[in-house]
Amino acid sequence: MTEILILYILSKYDATIYKIRKLIGEKFFMFSVLSFGTITPALKRLEELSCVEFDTKMTDGGLVTKTYKITPFGLKYLKSIIAGVEFKNKLNMLNKISILICVSDILEDEEKINLFNDCKNRLLLLRADINNAVENPYNMYTELQKNVINANLSAVDKLLGEIQ
């Protein structure tokens, strides 16, 4: 998801690493917080893939800064990794889907429809799994546990409402 967030920001703005981190923090604070230690190697990988390029400038204070921008290949790569996100872990599925919905504005209509259909199917499966767990008589949940489960079920239903 790190590469998706970085490339998405760079699809909207040319930015230094500091601005990338700040914009990700502002736009995606509910779903992801990235450190410089995460962003820097990701930018290096993206540069090696020819997804981003940078201009080097000297600041008034004598520091060298790099301003990154996405390449045309980087935009294609971004769309491909959005379409190919893997959902190995149900634990972070809601966050991943939330991020994908937030970055879907860069997709063409058909790409967006495919993404939303995939997300919808995954959310329906997650909802079924949650309902099965709640209805299983051997899972004796406390009232607090039921409230947490129901909050997650509500989040699933809200996301389903957004993508339908």
Side-chain angles (χ1 to χ4, degrees):
M1 295 307 287
T2 300
E3 290 179 350
I4 289 174
L5 294 174
I6 291 170
L7 288 171
Y8 179 78
I9 292 299
L10 292 176
S11 75
K12 304 293 183 185
Y13 315 94
D14 293 349
T16 63
I17 188 172
Y18 299 100
K19 188 171 181 181
I20 292 168
R21 183 173 186 262
K22 181 180 181 214
L23 290 169
I24 289 172
E26 289 172 359
K27 293 185 179 297
F28 300 101
F29 69 94
M30 291 289 296
F31 316 113
S32 184
V33 176
L34 300 181
S35 67
F36 291 117
T38 302
I39 296 171
T40 302
L43 277 170
K44 184 76 171 154
R45 279 190 312 274
L46 292 168
E47 182 187 343
E48 289 169 359
L49 291 171
S50 300
C51 293
V52 299
E53 54 192 22
F54 62 87
D55 293 323
T56 305
K57 296 179 186 174
M58 184 74 72
T59 65
D60 293 338
L63 298 174
V64 175
T65 63
K66 292 180 180 179
T67 301
Y68 292 88
K69 60 184 172 184
I70 194 168
T71 64
F73 175 75
L75 189 56
K76 289 178 187 175
Y77 181 72
L78 172 58
K79 290 179 179 185
S80 74
I81 59 176
I82 288 172
V85 168
E86 294 184 12
F87 294 91
K88 297 177 184 175
N89 186 342
K90 290 179 188 174
L91 180 65
N92 62 13
M93 185 182 297
L94 292 176
N95 264 359
K96 280 188 175 185
I97 290 175
S98 297
I99 289 170
L100 293 174
I101 291 169
C102 290
V103 302
S104 67
D105 65 309
I106 64 143
L107 300 174
E108 303 298 324
D109 288 341
E110 188 163 328
E111 294 168 323
K112 193 182 290 189
I113 289 168
N114 291 337
L115 173 68
F116 285 2
N117 283 336
D118 183 42
C119 290
K120 178 183 170 185
N121 291 335
R122 292 177 186 282
L123 287 168
L124 289 171
L125 289 171
L126 180 61
R127 185 204 288 157
D129 288 346
I130 293 169
N131 284 328
N132 288 339
V134 170
E135 293 169 4
N136 184 337
Y138 297 106
N139 292 338
M140 296 184 287
Y141 293 114
T142 66
E143 205 55 41
L144 180 60
Q145 290 168 331
K146 288 178 187 176
N147 290 339
V148 171
I149 291 168
N150 285 330
N152 281 294
L153 193 55
S154 176
V156 167
D157 288 336
K158 285 181 182 179
L159 282 173
L160 279 167
E162 290 298 320
I163 59 177
Q164 293 197 27

